[in-house]
Amino acid sequence: MRRLTGLVFLLVSFSAYAATFPSGQPSTTNNDDSCDIAVLPAATLLLPYFEVSATAPAQSASTTLFTIVNTVREPQIAHVTIWTDLAWPVLTFNLVLTGYDVQSVNLYDVLVRGVIPQTSNATTRGARSLANGANPHFFPTATDACAELRLGGPVPPLLQQQLLPALTRGSYSGGPAGVVGMSHPDIAVGYATIDVTATCSNLLPSNPQYFQEILYDNVLTGDYQYVNPNAATGNYAGGNPLVHIRALPEGGPAGAGATATNLPFTFYDRLTPAEVRQVDRRQPLPTTFAVRFIEGGPTAFQTKINIWREAVTAPNAGAEASAQNVMRIGEVIRFDERENPTEVTPLTLLDPPPPDGETSPRFPAASSTLTGAGDFPALSGSGDVGGWIYINLNNRGSNAYSVAPDVDLKSNSSTTTGPRQSQNWVAASMYAEGRYSTLTDATMLSNGCTRAPATPYATTPGATVPPIGPGPNTP
């Protein structure tokens, strides 16, 4: 029987963090230290939202596919983590990439059929690639950890029985009681992170030991596709680049994360150990976006907006805490084609009701898809079916990891739980008639180092709220 030590499901208890981080030799110079997210080779890739039909047969099941590319001649290890839509990690596996390699993953195969792509350090390499062990940043133990019989193949039946309920109904029978995801019984929903690492392991990013294994080489690129082959419910597909998150400064061995970074906080800030808070050195993601929409018209065009939001729960929080990842938002305004604005109305009825009597709007999960009807402000009544939506997804201090927007990020130490805004990502799919479909990232109106703008919900009653627009946003 194969030893699938490259997989792990729902790890919830972690040992105390007591590692030291030797200094590395990063190669990036300061003029590369940008918080702007771009499609450039990266150390982390984010699949912000996926959905997979959990009950349909393969020929009609909707699915999400993603592909990872190694852009250099040295081999790489891509560590994939699957999260529920309430940010609970449910599965991790490793993909070994030879130099200049490409590896595709069909999440229907992984989540429904229960098969992980088979890769290893024995994979045949091309003529321009270095030897499969010729990455100077690999751990000495990587040769054994990434051996053929340790990676990929069938998911064990017990793990498979727990995986789909967590991603479809939010239920988990393998540990502490609690809801780990939203309920959508026929569809598995969540997001995925892909990190370049120094070995093949079963650690999750929620384990502080994980940050002794991640690397800082900006070498990965990739894309993803949504495919719905069912003519009755879609019959369309769309593709987009994965979110490329660079390590700054780049380079150096694993454990070199203590090397200083000019970033005010990092992508994994919520999960990194307090004593080396910036250990991942990954760029933070922004909070404000502009996204186009079409809703109606002769072809009945519709828009789905896929949103990823940084969770608020602590890395060692139990399943019972996942419901906290239904988070507040800053502000959402819809403009039609005649510039008529409509806004989200504060909600007085939430299920469950917030303990503090909070009435500002919330979006449903850390990873979700929203449509124009009911999820966003109503159309203005002008008859226009198109326009754009301003979205400020800052959670406005829902937890210890973010605060009100009048805090200067640069003046706060990132070595402690620090005042800052929350991170987010937005992409939109437009589709019609079962024939037309597009998928594009929303326009970032700021980057992760720009202060979140003030909102009507975060100011003193009667105070002037600055105009919305591109950052830098200063109250």
Side-chain angles (χ1 to χ4, degrees), residues 405-408 446 450-455 464-475:
D406 59 347
V407 174
D408 185 351
S446 60
T450 305
R451 284 186 291 177
T455 73
T464 300
V465 178
I468 65 172
N473 302 293
T474 54

Side-chain angles (χ1 to χ4, degrees), residues 5-70:
T5 57
L7 303 176
V8 67
F9 182 70
L10 297 171
L11 298 181
V12 295
S13 62
F14 313 112
S15 59
Y17 185 85
T20 59
F21 290 82
S23 61
Q25 299 296 324
S27 61
T28 300
T29 54
N30 285 342
N31 62 356
D32 290 323
D33 286 351
S34 171
C35 289
D36 292 335
I37 302 298
V39 184
L40 294 170
T44 289
L45 302 173
L46 170 67
L47 171 60
Y49 172 84
F50 69 75
E51 61 180 43
V52 176
S53 293
T55 56
Q59 62 270 23
S60 61
S62 64
T63 188
T64 303
L65 306 96
F66 65 88
T67 300
I68 306 168
V69 177
N70 176 16

Side-chain angles (χ1 to χ4, degrees), residues 196-218:
V196 61
T197 58
T199 190
C200 298
S201 81
N202 59 6
L203 293 180
L204 293 166
S206 50
N207 186 331
Q209 300 292 330
Y210 181 72
F211 296 98
Q212 297 180 63
E213 298 182 353
I214 63 170
L215 291 173
Y216 310 96
D217 301 308
N218 293 318

Side-chain angles (χ1 to χ4, degrees), residues 83-88 191 267 269-271 277 308-318 320-329 362-367 393-403 417 420-424:
W83 307 72
T84 70
D85 55 2
L86 286 183
W88 182 268
Y191 66 94
F267 175 71
D269 179 73
R270 178 178 69 96
L271 303 174
R277 195 65 181 270
W308 176 87
R309 305 189 67 195
E310 182 184 22
V312 300
T313 49
N316 58 351
E320 70 281 357
S322 294
Q324 297 175 25
N325 292 326
V326 178
M327 294 167 282
R328 293 181 287 180
I329 61 174
R362 299 189 181 207
F363 278 172
S367 182
L393 290 170
N394 187 35
N395 66 32
R396 303 190 302 99
S398 293
N399 70 338
Y401 298 95
S402 56
V403 297
T417 300
R420 63 168 178 82
Q421 69 261 1
S422 58
Q423 303 179 73
N424 308 271

Side-chain angles (χ1 to χ4, degrees), residues 26-309:
S27 61
T28 300
T29 54
N30 285 342
N31 62 356
D32 290 323
D33 286 351
S34 171
C35 289
D36 292 335
I37 302 298
V39 184
L40 294 170
T44 289
L45 302 173
L46 170 67
L47 171 60
Y49 172 84
F50 69 75
E51 61 180 43
V52 176
S53 293
T55 56
Q59 62 270 23
S60 61
S62 64
T63 188
T64 303
L65 306 96
F66 65 88
T67 300
I68 306 168
V69 177
N70 176 16
T71 63
V72 296
R73 62 179 183 167
E74 292 84 4
Q76 305 295 332
I77 299 167
H79 190 100
V80 180
T81 303
I82 305 296
W83 307 72
T84 70
D85 55 2
L86 286 183
W88 182 268
V90 294
L91 174 69
T92 191
F93 58 90
N94 303 277
L95 300 173
V96 178
L97 305 173
T98 61
Y100 306 123
D101 199 3
V102 59
Q103 177 64 53
S104 296
V105 178
N106 184 336
L107 285 177
Y108 183 88
D109 290 341
V110 175
L111 304 180
V112 181
R113 288 175 168 158
V115 179
I116 303 293
Q118 185 82 57
T119 64
S120 74
N121 56 18
T123 302
T124 303
R125 62 186 174 91
R128 294 196 172 208
S129 305
L130 296 183
N132 287 355
N135 186 323
H137 295 159
F138 281 178
F139 289 164
T141 55
T143 299
D144 179 63
C146 300
E148 187 171 8
L149 293 181
R150 292 181 177 269
L151 301 181
V155 177
L158 178 59
L159 184 146
Q160 184 67 19
Q161 292 170 14
Q162 297 173 326
L163 182 59
L164 275 181
L167 291 166
T168 57
R169 298 190 298 273
S171 61
Y172 168 49
S173 60
V179 176
V180 299
M182 307 292 285
S183 180
H184 24 72
D186 296 327
I187 304 292
V189 171
Y191 66 94
T193 51
I194 302 108
D195 299 308
V196 61
T197 58
T199 190
C200 298
S201 81
N202 59 6
L203 293 180
L204 293 166
S206 50
N207 186 331
Q209 300 292 330
Y210 181 72
F211 296 98
Q212 297 180 63
E213 298 182 353
I214 63 170
L215 291 173
Y216 310 96
D217 301 308
N218 293 318
V219 296
L220 299 182
T221 185
D223 54 78
Y224 66 102
Q225 296 80 36
Y226 300 132
V227 179
N228 186 342
N230 189 335
T233 60
N235 198 32
Y236 57 82
N240 203 37
L242 294 164
V243 185
H244 290 56
I245 304 170
R246 292 170 60 81
L248 299 174
E250 66 180 334
T259 300
T261 176
N262 287 330
L263 301 172
F265 64 97
T266 60
F267 175 71
Y268 278 122
D269 179 73
R270 178 178 69 96
L271 303 174
T272 52
E275 58 269 37
V276 279
R277 195 65 181 270
Q278 295 176 310
V279 63
D280 62 302
R281 302 203 313 245
R282 266 58 170 180
Q283 294 168 297
L285 296 183
T287 190
T288 55
F289 301 83
V291 59
R292 282 269 293 119
F293 76 88
I294 306 175
E295 187 180 344
T299 58
F301 243 104
Q302 297 295 313
T303 301
K304 290 171 64 176
I305 299 179
N306 302 326
I307 294 176
W308 176 87
R309 305 189 67 195

